[in-house]
Amino acid sequence: MSSLPIRVSGKVAFHAVIFWLEHRGMRYRIHEGETLVGRGSRVAFFLDEPSVSREHALVRRSGTSVAVTDLKSSNGTFVNGERVQGSKPLQTGDIVCFGTAALRFGTTLTAPGPSVSPGIEFIEQQSSRPQVAEVVTEPAFGSIEVLETLVASPETAESLPDLASMVRASVARLLASAERGRVVLGPAERSRLAGVVATVGGWPIDDANQEWADDVLRRLQV
């Protein structure tokens, strides 16, 4: 277990550093070594999301360094909105997206304890909710940013209809959250989301795809 020196009253006390990924309010501890992320039967960190490949990415921890590596996933791995090419070191506060599944990377200092085996384990559920300003701005911006990146490179998807279906589902969730007042879509966000919808609507899939795009554009009123 990695530790950092903390000076207290002239003495140095060593505290362990816990590295974690937070998903939907659940924090999962990252142990030393490699952890396979995806939704297949062989993964150590299972994410039940349609946009996540069976073996999507690797999270590697070596001492106090943590990095993520995309495994040629269908919908990509992103750090703060930038697609990962090869490996990307993580910093506290980074938002890591496996497809459209967004996780926050962070660290916590704690008292030293016994060594633990490689992998990821559940450590806690966050009970405190963020302030309203955080709730209504960050999720919408992050989701649109990821969607923009996905639709910009449709040729990287294994199946264009599957990618379109994933984007449609993500847009539906985002609009539903906006209608419930959980996120706010201002003019700039609506314009960006409309660009995503118009792009997907132009893909040569079927008439229903274009009808979906027309309906969403009417709802966005842009």
Side-chain angles (χ1 to χ4, degrees):
M1 179 178 294
S2 300
S3 60
L4 294 176
I6 307 296
R7 186 168 297 278
V8 181
S9 301
K11 298 181 179 180
V12 175
F14 284 85
H15 281 63
V17 183
I18 293 177
F19 298 85
W20 45 260
L21 285 168
E22 184 177 300
H23 183 235
R24 295 183 176 177
M26 301 287 192
R27 284 186 178 176
Y28 299 87
R29 181 174 179 172
I30 306 169
H31 294 314
E32 188 79 14
E34 295 186 344
T35 298
L36 183 59
V37 180
R39 58 187 181 95
S41 58
R42 296 177 58 247
V43 304
F45 187 19
F46 181 80
L47 285 174
D48 189 14
E49 298 280 350
S51 62
V52 175
S53 298
R54 293 177 61 83
E55 295 183 1
H56 196 105
L58 275 178
V59 174
R60 289 187 176 94
R61 177 183 164 192
S62 177
T64 58
S65 298
V66 179
V68 62
T69 302
D70 185 72
L71 299 178
K72 297 182 179 179
S73 61
S74 298
N75 299 307
T77 301
F78 305 82
V79 176
N80 299 327
E82 295 186 8
R83 190 162 192 152
V84 173
Q85 304 290 346
S87 296
K88 174 73 173 178
L90 298 181
Q91 304 294 328
T92 299
D94 282 350
I95 301 299
V96 184
C97 291
F98 303 104
T100 58
L103 296 84
R104 183 167 63 95
F105 173 70
T107 60
T108 303
L109 288 178
T110 187
S115 61
V116 287
S117 59
I120 287 186
E121 64 174 344
F122 169 73
I123 51 177
E124 64 177 317
Q125 179 173 0
Q126 296 300 98
S127 58
S128 60
R129 295 186 58 82
Q131 298 297 318
V132 173
E134 296 176 331
V135 173
V136 301
T137 57
E138 294 180 2
F141 179 81
S143 298
I144 295 172
E145 190 171 50
V146 171
L147 290 175
E148 286 174 330
T149 304
L150 289 176
V151 303
S153 305
E155 68 278 359
T156 62
E158 293 181 358
S159 168
L160 191 62
D162 287 349
L163 177 59
S165 177
M166 180 195 68
V167 172
R168 290 197 297 264
S170 296
V171 170
R173 287 195 295 269
L174 185 57
L175 290 177
S177 294
E179 291 169 354
R180 291 195 296 267
R182 296 179 59 185
V183 300
V184 171
L185 295 178
E189 288 77 23
R190 288 179 177 272
S191 178
R192 291 174 60 190
L193 187 58
V196 169
V197 172
T199 297
V200 175
W203 289 347
I205 299 176
D206 52 35
D207 292 340
N209 188 59
Q210 183 60 60
E211 292 172 359
W212 163 82
D214 293 340
D215 178 65
V216 174
L217 290 173
R218 282 193 295 269
R219 292 173 63 186
L220 289 172
Q221 298 178 345
V222 295

